[in-house]
Amino acid sequence: MSLIAENELQEVPVLDIDPYAMDVLRDPYAFHAALRDTGPVVLIKPHGVYATGRHAEAKAVLADHTRFITGAGIGIQDIRQPGEFRIPSRLLEVDPPDHTQVRAAVTRVLSPVAIRRFKESFTEKAQALVQKLIDLREFDAVEQGVEAFVLDAFPAAVGVRLPRTETLAIGEMRFNQSGPKNALYHAAMARAQPYLEWFEQTVQRDAVLPGSIAEMLFQAEDKGDFDPGVASNIIRSFVGGGTDSTIAGMGFTLHQLALHPDQWAKVHADPTRVKAAFEEGIRHEAPFQVTYRTTVGPTSVSGIRLDGDMKLGVFMGAANRDPRHWERPDEFDIERPQLAGNHLAMGTGAHACIGQMIARGESEAFLGEMARRIKAIELTDTPTYRPINQMRMLDKLPLRVTPA
Ligand code: HEM
């Protein structure tokens, strides 16, 4: 995408919309369309950063870690600048070759055998929770459903203790912190303040559970696979990357299935189809709406000239609905062909989600059990969203279920 002569490059088009304005966070789809239609890459005027919302360019930027690095942070702020308080991820916010070595060691810990063992416990926990939900008949499928499931199943596998209030406050801080310093950022920072010390302790060696992924990461550190201190940093990235995202993705999937009874009937008839439903759920609404890269030097994308050392927001939520790539992009369709590996909800390239088998294992267990045991689901009220700078996430999803 950069093989155009220097003198033929175009100036970057400007888009004067703030992606972090409250009304955009609550309903980002008009912004997504403007982002895609203004150009392959645009300058977001209110923040002075580049951005892309087209599938081809988003994929190309994420796949090219030599021209577009994560070492300056995956948020809008440059974490290399003095005074930018945030503990960088030693996996996501480092570039190859350092990233390659850490990633290989973490991949060994997350072997298919290890994941299979955790899947069994996901199934048991799903069976118990779905029975409770059936007994209730009507419930909030966020707090009592997907959130309850993920906060039970995921920390047990990772090997950390994650109580709800503390965990949600830390997640809210993390995903507002990666946006600009707006009111959401300041409010989330203040709310998380009392729990920072607790979180730091939670990811240390003496706090993690035996037989867990966290313990295996410390064992890898003892063998010399990581520098001292990296294992607890990776556990921090797992908790950060794997909790709210999975809650959001499973919530979106249930929401859409509740809106489409014909598609619920299909997953009820064949519960293995919840796999496709989850992929379509996170394509249709991406939990992580945006991630940033930084240009290493002057470069170009699709004929647009880009300056060096600039942040470039890759809006995966927009790319996942780019009509240049998808037919009927706004429709939820569990029979959409070639879904996994094609949508960008899990990223792509060197930093593609390393926990995706865990997220898929959790969703197959919980959504699969719901599909087996429940004949029909319906909304009892309008769902609401939590405005968060980097994420899209349901706040409430009021559901009624009819058991099979
Ligand atoms: C539906 C659930 C999930 C979604 C939508 C998701 C999404 C993503 C995305 C988009 C990236 C790439 C970010 C970038 O390139 O800037 C990523 C990376 C990552 N994810 Fe996930 N994720 C999910 C679940 C999980 C889980 C369960 C874990 C726990 C192990 C996890 C841990 C990570 C880590 C550690 C990385 C960084 C990988 C690297 O830099 O090499 N994620 N995820």
Side-chain angles (χ1 to χ4, degrees), residues 268-289:
H268 179 57
D270 177 4
T272 62
R273 298 177 95 168
V274 295
K275 288 186 199 182
F278 179 67
E279 295 305 321
E280 175 65 346
I282 61 175
R283 178 205 65 84
H284 186 258
E285 291 208 281
F288 293 123
Q289 289 281 293

Side-chain angles (χ1 to χ4, degrees), residues 73-85:
I74 53 93
I76 196 170
Q77 320 281 356
D78 187 336
I79 57 171
R80 300 167 302 182
Q81 298 303 321
E84 284 303 335
F85 162 76

